[in-house]
């Protein structure tokens, strides 16, 4: 099975016809369709599949017998109306690379596993890299079980509906002990490779990043009769906070974004009772991240006070800076130097499962060129030739790491 | 049947248990329950009911035979999580007033009608006073049929589901010709009466007001990787517009509000593709309204251009200033002077069906004191004694207008 064939099979699953974007949220029917594709594909490649206690899927070439397996893969879930590459490119490339290695007659000296981690985007339950965080114990199982989606459905309920036992959730040290290294392939979510003229790059590390929910609670009132001095309108401090987020990003050389807002009751002729907003922040180092977020929060509190609105902040997740394993990076760079292409080493502001696993085993990532840099959008794209270059690079890396 | 008995019957219909607010949207099950209550109540009072071509309900004391009927009533629908008084107080008070007049042995010399107008709030299909606008021809039937709710359901489809024929929609000159005057009772949506110590007031007029949808179209992107100069983030000009709306209101002595916003795709870790916002504006006169809205729109366009975002503006409704009929006002003031209470004459920024009907027949309104001024909120409230005062005032006015 070629990359193109596998890609074409996965392409229609969970795609919204109107927007052309994907809505592959954890433990939904779209997610189940992607999981069935994963199991069917692994089976055709002769790989044994298992679903771990936390719902992550694994396809094994060789049995997980403690010989420091090499993990590749990525995730299959999407942000709302996301593109098709963010996540799936890593899983499809992993299967395609294994297919190539098989065809070449390669016999791995240690096991190779293709993983598809659950809820990497946090699009349904709000915690990014949920599957890998559970696997490594970075999030507590009982906390995770109580996470709720926007309809109030808990992770535990959603897993039960999908036929999984949420009672099994939690750190899986036995599985982790069987893993020796991790190399996740991912589309670049920026345009550095495009600028450098390189189809493939290697990740040096991940910026520290976090997500905060800001709740502004005012008082619902009639928009057509309530005098300005009588208003407690939470939309006003919210708006000031959006502008403060941009200013903080500029000031600190960081990325700070408000991409999700829910105003209640949400009537055109009513002053809002509450505005919920989500602040996404990333920075080159932990201190800069903290300074940028503190600056935004200071404006939020000050503007809330000015409008007699209550401001509250909930930290949904914070991931410290990740530096990928230097030895693994050097080894992979050496392998890829043989391709004749430049193979730049990049840092990224995006969180990934490889970043979570990096706390437990040597890990890094391969990035595939994104000509426009657009991601988390239906317009996300990679050229077929670059995808093939990614598969070839991954196959070379896997052959090296699992070859001895 | 007393006011309190009627009020208690209607109270639970369409109330959300979590918020305590009402969700009585046109042509939904909650709306149908309110309509059944209307018909049952009218029937117990011996009034003949009809549903007009536009879905407005009418309960007739005396037959509509061209003798310049007196119309009272209001509406039963609500904004999202609205209070129980806005609309229903006028309908319940009308039935209670007719009950009192019957008990007193009053025999109307001309018909009295209790109306419940459809979709006064515009909460489902976006056009306020939709039922009275259709009745008077202020909105075209084919335009109305194509209005859609947030799920994409058209008014025509929603009416068919509710068993009504949308083909009948349109101006009803025969019905209008049978009406001689309109007096709508409504809870005050401000606290002027409370400040003046008066339980009941009379409306002098309605400020001109309008609603505009502003669409900011940028480009979805990854919040964690897209460099600031590469972003086309529509949340930024939206936020600047919210603040400009408040500034314009202060500058012009107007009310300008953003209470509804929808950001798409709405992921915490994605830059928005599009932000839709609704601008509600009211002012003492038409020129001031136009100036305030133009000021907000100028900022919206300028900030959109600065962030390479497309800004688009759609006027959803504009209602010019309404001055209620001076002769009717004087007559009602004279009737109510006999109550011994002060009866202030007020202007309001809120639109009402009486304001729409005022273009076709003498109309005005009675307002009942709102101790906090809060409306479009579950906290909306009127004291029972003030509601009773409203019923007594309405009964006196109806007896005068229909007594000769």
């Amino acid at each position: 099975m070629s990359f193109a064939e596998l890609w074409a099979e996965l392409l229609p699953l969970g795609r919204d016809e109107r927007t052309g974007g994907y809505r592959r949220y954890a433990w939904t029917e779209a997610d189940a369709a992607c999981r069935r594709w994963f199991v069917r594909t692994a089976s055709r490649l002769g790989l044994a599949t298992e679903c771990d206690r936390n719902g992550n899927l694994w396809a094994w070439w060789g049995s997980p017998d403690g010989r420091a397996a090499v993990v590749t893969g990525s995730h299959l879930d999407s942000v709302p109306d996301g593109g098709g590459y963010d996540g799936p490119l890593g899983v499809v490339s992993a299967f395609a690379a294994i297919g190539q290695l098989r065809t070449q007659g390669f016999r791995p000296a240690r096991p190779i596993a293709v993983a598809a981690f659950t809820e990497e985007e946090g699009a349904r339950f709000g915690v990014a890299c949920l599957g890998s965080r559970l696997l490594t114990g970075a999030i507590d199982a009982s906390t995770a079980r109580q996470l709720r989606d926007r309809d109030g459905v808990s992770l535990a309920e959603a897993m039960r509906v999908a036929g999984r036992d949420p009672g099994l959730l939690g750190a899986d040290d036995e599985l982790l002990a069987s893993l020796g290294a991790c190399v996740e392939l991912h589309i670049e979510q920026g345009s550095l490779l495009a600028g450098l003229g390189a189809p493939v790059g290697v990740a040096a590390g991940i910026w520290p990043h976090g997500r905060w929910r800001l709740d502004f609670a005012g008082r619902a009132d009639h928009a057509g009769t309530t005098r300005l001095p009588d208003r407690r309108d939470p939309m006003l401090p919210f708006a000031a906070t959006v502008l403060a987020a941009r200013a903080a990003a500029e000031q600190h050389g960081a990325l700070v974004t408000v991409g999700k807002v829910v105003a209640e009751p949400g009537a055109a002729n009513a002053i809002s009772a509450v505005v919920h907003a989500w602040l996404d922040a990333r920075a080159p180092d932990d201190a800069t991240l903290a300074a940028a977020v503190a600056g935004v929060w200071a404006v939020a509190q000050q503007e809330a006070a000015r409008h007699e609105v209550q401001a509250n902040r909930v930290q949904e997740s914070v991931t410290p800076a990740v530096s990928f394993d230097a030895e693994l990076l050097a080894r992979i760079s050496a392998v890829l130097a043989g391709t004749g292409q430049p193979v730049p080493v990049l840092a990224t502001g995006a969180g990934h499962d490889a970043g979570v696993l990096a706390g437990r085993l040597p890990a890094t990532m391969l990035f595939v060129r994104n000509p426009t840099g657009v991601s988390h959008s239906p317009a996300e794209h990679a050229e077929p030739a670059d995808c093939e270059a990614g598969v070839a690079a991954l196959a070379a890396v896997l052959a090296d790491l699992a070859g001895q």
Side-chain angles (χ1 to χ4, degrees), chain A:
Chain A
M1 287 171 299
S2 71
F3 174 87
E5 284 165 338
L6 290 171
W7 189 252
E9 286 177 2
L10 188 58
L11 206 60
L13 307 182
R15 185 164 55 185
D16 182 78
E17 286 186 16
R18 187 177 63 88
T19 65
Y22 289 89
R23 299 177 179 184
R24 294 167 172 163
Y25 309 140
W27 305 119
T28 61
E29 178 46 38
D31 182 56
C34 292
R35 288 168 180 271
R36 288 190 295 269
W37 169 86
F38 182 98
V39 171
R40 196 169 63 241
T41 302
S43 161
R44 284 179 295 175
L45 279 166
L47 310 179
T49 55
E50 65 170 328
C51 184
D52 72 17
R53 304 161 43 163
N54 298 299
N56 306 307
L57 290 172
W58 299 80
W60 289 94
W61 187 7
S63 55
D65 53 7
R67 285 174 299 146
V70 180
V71 184
T72 183
S74 185
H75 63 95
L76 295 172
D77 67 309
S78 77
V79 295
D81 288 325
Y85 294 81
D86 176 356
L89 184 65
V91 179
V92 172
S93 296
F95 283 132
I98 287 175
Q100 286 189 6
L101 291 175
R102 272 204 191 282
T103 306
Q104 293 161 13
F106 175 79
R107 299 289 296 256
R110 56 175 77 186
I112 296 176
V114 181
F117 293 101
T118 298
E119 179 83 341
E120 192 269 350
E121 300 289 2
R124 182 166 180 192
F125 295 104
V127 176
C129 298
L130 183 58
S132 54
R133 282 184 207 267
L134 278 163
L135 168 64
T136 58
I139 185 173
D140 183 63
S142 61
T143 302
R145 277 190 284 267
Q146 292 166 45
L147 294 171
R148 290 186 185 276
D149 69 9
R150 68 171 66 194
D151 296 324
V153 178
S154 71
L155 175 63
E157 290 159 0
M159 289 184 72
R160 272 190 222 103
V161 167
R164 303 292 310 170
D165 179 1
L168 298 175
L169 289 179
D172 193 338
D173 290 329
E174 192 182 345
L175 176 53
L176 282 170
S178 70
L179 310 178
C182 169
V183 182
E184 176 177 358
L185 180 146
H186 205 281
I187 187 169
E188 191 197 348
Q189 297 174 295
S191 53
L192 293 173
L193 291 175
L196 297 166
V200 175
V202 186
I206 298 178
W207 280 15
H209 55 280
R211 186 183 294 182
W212 290 263
R213 196 186 75 226
L214 306 181
D215 302 314
F216 298 94
R219 187 180 60 210
D221 257 322
H222 194 300
T225 55
T226 312
R227 300 182 318 138
L228 298 182
D230 294 340
R231 294 178 174 218
R232 293 171 51 199
D233 184 351
M235 193 68 86
L236 297 168
F238 160 71
T241 302
V242 168
L243 300 180
R246 175 64 168 231
E250 284 169 359
Q251 182 191 341
H252 294 280
L255 298 174
V256 192
T257 310
V258 177
K260 180 176 178 181
V261 54
V262 177
E264 297 176 351
N269 57 353
I271 296 162
S272 300
V274 186
V275 175
H276 305 286
W278 281 259
L279 190 74
D280 178 292
R282 333 250 174 165
D285 58 75
D286 296 325
T288 305
L289 180 68
V293 172
V296 177
W297 178 233
V299 172
Q301 287 179 295
Q302 173 194 313
E303 292 298 306
R306 196 154 76 86
H307 292 287
E308 295 181 64
V309 164
Q310 293 293 320
N312 189 41
R313 177 173 65 159
V314 177
Q315 178 179 306
E316 292 196 338
S317 66
V318 170
T319 306
V322 171
S323 294
F324 285 127
D325 188 81
E327 200 176 319
L328 184 62
L329 259 172
R331 183 165 168 180
I332 288 177
S333 294
V335 170
L336 298 182
T339 61
Q341 295 273 6
V343 182
V345 177
L346 321 166
T348 176
H352 294 286
D353 295 306
V356 176
L357 293 185
R360 301 295 290 272
L361 61 151
T364 187
M365 301 180 69
L366 299 180
F367 288 131
V368 171
R369 174 162 55 189
N370 180 331
T372 62
V374 170
S375 187
H376 285 193
S377 158
E380 183 188 64
H381 179 70
E383 290 297 325
D386 289 348
C387 295
E388 293 290 356
V391 171
L394 181 61
V397 167
L398 293 177
D400 179 68
L401 295 177
Q404 46 188 289

